[in-house]
Amino acid sequence: MGEVVKLKAIKEEARQSSLPEDFCWFWSEYPRKEKKGDAFKAWKQTENIRPQAEELIAAVNKYADKCRYKEIQYVMLPATYLRSWAWADET
């Protein structure tokens, strides 16, 4: 999917669901799509400590790549990723 099309889809999801665009972007990139409500709760809880969206998404993409290539055995739930500050883990 082209980046422009993907961004339009994210904006539309955010508009329809009343969720923040940054959260919808995070959700679209995260490799495990379970417990969206808990993920959103963690999103709000980490608002003051997580990095800007671009930096967070870059970290999520690195994590997703590791998951795709089976470098890790267990894929964290999105809420766990946020609450544990996993974006700050060394790769």
Side-chain angles (χ1 to χ4, degrees):
M1 180 184 306
E3 282 300 310
V4 173
V5 173
K6 189 174 191 177
L7 290 174
K8 284 182 182 180
I10 290 168
K11 287 178 186 266
E12 182 61 21
E13 179 188 351
R15 188 185 66 74
Q16 288 181 0
S17 66
S18 300
L19 292 170
E21 264 183 50
D22 287 351
F23 175 76
C24 292
W25 188 17
F26 166 78
W27 186 259
S28 73
E29 297 294 321
Y30 200 78
R32 184 174 178 184
K33 301 205 180 353
E34 294 177 51
K35 302 190 180 211
K36 190 173 188 176
D38 195 33
F40 183 61
K41 188 187 222 182
W43 181 265
K44 292 190 300 186
Q45 291 170 340
T46 59
E47 186 171 22
N48 295 323
I49 56 172
R50 70 174 185 274
Q52 295 294 318
E54 293 80 10
E55 186 180 338
L56 179 64
I57 298 306
V60 164
N61 286 330
K62 285 181 185 176
Y63 181 67
D65 285 345
K66 288 176 90 175
C67 295
R68 252 182 241 112
Y69 296 112
K70 309 285 190 238
E71 293 177 27
I72 57 175
Q73 289 183 315
Y74 172 75
V75 179
M76 287 183 265
L77 287 168
T80 303
Y81 182 88
L82 291 168
R83 288 189 184 110
S84 67
W85 299 15
W87 64 80
D89 290 350
E90 293 185 25
T91 55

